[in-house]
Amino acid sequence: MVVGVSRLFTSKVFRKKIHDILKVGIGGTLAFGGISIYFKNEKFYDSLVMPMLHKLEPETAHNVAVMAAKYNLVPEVNLKESELLESRVLNLLFKTPIGLAAGFDKNGEAVEGLFKMGFSFVEVGSVTPLPQPGNPKPRVFRLKEDLAIINRYGFNSDGHEAVYERLSQLPPPGHRKAVLGVNLGKNKNSVDHVQDFILGVKKFGPVADYLVINISSPNTPGLRNLQHREELGKLVSAVVTARDSLSGTHKPPLLLKIAPDLSDDDKKDIASVILKNENRIDGLIVSNTTVTRPLWLESAERQEVGGLSGQPLKSLATHTVTDMYRLTRGLIPIIGVGGVASGQDAYEKICAGASLVQVYTGLVYHGPLLVHRITNELEDLLRVGAVLVRLMHQGWCHTSTHKF
Ligand SMILES: Cc1cc2nc3c(=O)[nH]c(=O)nc-3n(C[C@H](O)[C@H](O)[C@H](O)COP(=O)(O)O)c2cc1C
C-alpha cells in the first residue's frame, strides 16, 4: 500500500497533473489580479469597456450596465472620508455631495452595486404604481459629438409592487452604506395623477431615505402641467399629508423634481407654493432633461423627440439652480443635476446654490470611475475655496477680486 502511494507521487502523470494545476492556479491569479487593477484604471474603461458598450444599441448598453452593477461587476470605490465633502442635508448624512440621478436604475435592481461605485446617494425610479412598458423602441439616442443623450423612455417601470419587493430586501433606512432615494412617477393612463403620487409615498415611505415627486419628465403627457401654481398646490399638500400620516417614526423628506424649461413666472409660482408652511416641501431637484435644442448641437440625432441631457443641458440647469436658490431664499436644499462630468461642473452647481449634485449622462461617456474622479476634483476645489475664505478673513485677499 505504502509502496503504491509513493509510486503514485513520483509518477510522470501525477507530476504533470500538479504542474497543470499550478499553471492554471498561477495564471488565474495573475489574470484576476490584472483585471482587478484594470477595473480601477480609467484607461481600461476609456479604451476597452466604453467603446465596446457604445457598439451596442443605447438601450441594450443601458441594460448591460445595470446588470453589471447588479452582479457587482463594477469597480469598488471606498466613499471618501473627508470633512470637506461630508454634509448633513435633509437631516440625512451624505459622505460626499455626489449621487446618481434617477433613470439609471429605474427598477431598484442594482442599488448595492451602485453604492459600491462610490455614490454617496442613489435615486432609483421613476417608479409608476402599475407596471407599464413605456414608449415604443428605439427610445434612447446617443448624441456622441455633443456628449449628450435624448431619451423618450416614457416611464418604463416594473411598478410599485416589484420595486418595493427588491428595496425591502436591503437594510432598512439608517443602516445602509449610503443614502437611497425613490423617485415617483405616474402611470400614462392614470386618471388621477395626485392619487398615483399618494400611492407612491405610502408604498415607498417606509423604505426610502428620501422621496421625489417627479413632475418634470417630458415623456409623459400632462405631467409637466403639474408644475403650474394651482395644480402644484393641490399635489404638494396631498403628498405632504400622505407623508405626515405614515405610521411609525420614519417620515422621509419629500423633494420635487422640476424641469429646466420653466418661465420666470412658473419658477416664482413653484417657489411660492413650496415655501407655504402647510405645503412645506423639503427639497428641490433641479433639473430634469430639457425639451429645448441648442442651435449648436452637432449630432445627427439632435432632432429626436424626447428629453436632452448631458453637456448641452449644463448651463441651463445651473441657471435654474441659481434662480430657484434666489427665489426660495436658500431656505430649501437643492440637488443640482444636468451635465455634470467633472469636479469643476459639480463645484459650479454648488456655487449656484446646490447642496448636493447628481450625475447620469456623464457616466455614459466616461464610465464608472467618473464618480471617483469628480469626488477627488471637487475636494481639491473645495479645499482651495476654504483656503481663500480663510485668507480673506485674515485680510490677505482683496474682496473685490474674489467671489468668496
Ligand atoms: C436615459 C435617461 C433616463 C432618465 N429617466 C429618468 C426618470 O425615470 N426619472 C427622472 O426623474 N429623471 C430621469 N432622467 C433624468 C436624469 O435623472 C437627470 O435629471 C438628467 O438626465 C440630467 O442629468 P445628466 O445631464 O447628468 O444626465 C433620465 C435621464 C436619462 C439620460
Side-chain angles (χ1 to χ4, degrees):
M1 167 81 175
V2 175
V3 174
V5 170
S6 79
R7 217 178 258 159
L8 173 70
F9 278 123
T10 51
S11 78
K12 246 186 176 173
V13 177
F14 181 79
R15 268 185 284 145
K16 181 158 181 344
K17 269 227 161 94
I18 291 289
H19 191 243
D20 287 349
I21 289 170
L22 280 176
K23 239 173 33 188
V24 170
I26 292 169
T29 309
L30 284 177
F32 184 75
I35 287 170
S36 307
I37 292 166
Y38 259 118
F39 255 58
K40 293 202 175 166
N41 181 339
E42 221 163 327
K43 269 206 180 128
F44 175 63
Y45 290 94
D46 283 350
S47 53
L48 195 72
V49 178
M50 300 320 283
M52 261 166 57
L53 268 182
H54 285 200
K55 292 238 181 304
L56 302 173
E57 190 265 322
E59 183 165 346
T60 310
H62 178 186
N63 293 334
V64 168
V66 173
M67 283 304 115
K70 178 173 176 172
Y71 294 108
N72 270 313
L73 294 167
V74 286
E76 177 153 18
V77 172
N78 289 330
L79 271 175
K80 245 192 146 142
E81 304 273 339
S82 158
E83 268 184 26
L84 276 173
L85 294 172
E86 197 174 281
S87 60
R88 187 165 273 282
V89 184
L90 303 163
N91 216 13
L92 297 166
L93 183 70
F94 293 84
K95 290 252 178 78
T96 80
I98 310 300
L100 177 65
F104 179 80
D105 186 6
K106 283 178 181 279
N107 294 308
E109 294 173 271
V111 175
E112 297 208 300
L114 294 165
F115 283 164
K116 189 178 143 189
M117 270 166 63
F119 288 111
S120 83
F121 61 113
V122 167
E123 191 173 310
V124 304
S126 297
V127 194
T128 57
L130 299 172
Q132 64 173 33
N135 288 325
K137 297 177 187 176
R139 50 193 180 175
V140 197
F141 306 88
R142 280 184 215 108
L143 280 69
K144 232 160 119 186
E145 291 78 4
D146 301 299
L147 298 176
I149 288 179
I150 290 176
N151 92 83
R152 50 170 181 265
Y153 267 118
F155 287 167
N156 49 322
S157 173
D158 287 352
H160 282 179
E161 214 45 62
V163 178
Y164 175 81
E165 199 49 48
R166 288 182 197 120
L167 300 186
S168 56
Q169 309 292 320
L170 298 169
H175 295 84
R176 300 182 185 125
K177 198 174 159 190
V179 171
L180 174 66
V182 178
N183 179 309
L184 306 171
K186 71 164 208 73
N187 279 116
K188 185 177 175 186
N189 297 326
S190 99
V191 278
D192 188 345
H193 310 332
V194 174
Q195 188 59 23
D196 276 19
F197 288 109
I198 292 176
L199 287 173
V201 171
K202 288 186 176 159
K203 189 78 191 173
F204 292 99
V207 290
D209 291 308
Y210 71 84
L211 291 169
V212 182
I213 308 298
N214 176 13
I215 47 172
S216 48
S217 281
N219 305 309
T220 296
L223 185 72
R224 286 177 306 156
N225 293 340
L226 296 174
Q227 294 173 119
H228 297 145
R229 193 185 185 97
E230 214 169 290
E231 297 228 38
L232 184 64
K234 280 189 207 146
L235 171 66
V236 166
S237 79
V239 289
V240 169
T241 308
R243 188 272 317 270
D244 291 345
S245 47
L246 285 171
S247 60
T249 51
H250 179 68
K251 302 200 194 289
L254 272 175
L255 290 85
L256 211 58
K257 183 163 179 180
I258 63 171
D261 307 322
L262 300 162
S263 69
D264 287 345
D265 283 344
D266 287 337
K267 289 181 211 169
K268 277 186 205 149
D269 285 349
I270 291 174
S272 82
V273 168
I274 63 175
L275 282 176
K276 275 199 190 136
N277 271 340
E278 67 273 24
N279 285 344
R280 198 62 181 240
I281 274 285
D282 304 289
L284 282 175
I285 303 193
V286 184
S287 72
N288 216 310
T289 53
T290 176
V291 290
T292 63
R293 298 287 182 269
L295 289 174
W296 42 265
L297 289 181
E298 288 177 22
S299 314
E301 297 79 359
R302 65 185 182 275
Q303 299 303 358
E304 290 293 342
V305 171
L308 173 73
S309 59
Q311 169 81 26
L313 170 65
K314 187 167 69 182
S315 64
L316 180 62
T318 307
H319 279 123
T320 315
V321 172
T322 308
D323 289 346
M324 293 316 297
Y325 183 80
R326 184 174 42 81
L327 290 166
T328 55
R329 304 190 302 279
L331 294 170
I332 294 199
I334 295 176
I335 300 182
V337 51
V340 173
S342 68
Q344 178 68 36
D345 297 337
Y347 189 64
E348 282 167 20
K349 294 272 193 255
I350 290 170
C351 290
S355 304
L356 301 164
V357 175
Q358 288 176 328
V359 185
Y360 185 164
T361 303
L363 286 177
V364 173
Y365 288 98
H366 303 283
L369 288 178
L370 180 70
V371 192
H372 186 53
R373 178 153 65 77
I374 294 179
T375 310
N376 285 339
E377 289 173 359
L378 179 63
E379 191 188 17
D380 288 345
L381 288 164
L382 291 172
R383 183 165 296 122
V384 172
V387 170
L388 282 176
V389 170
R390 213 172 311 133
L391 288 175
M392 197 187 80
H393 284 307
Q394 289 167 3
W396 288 91
C397 283
H398 207 285
T399 42
S400 62
T401 57
H402 287 283
K403 216 178 155 194
F404 299 97

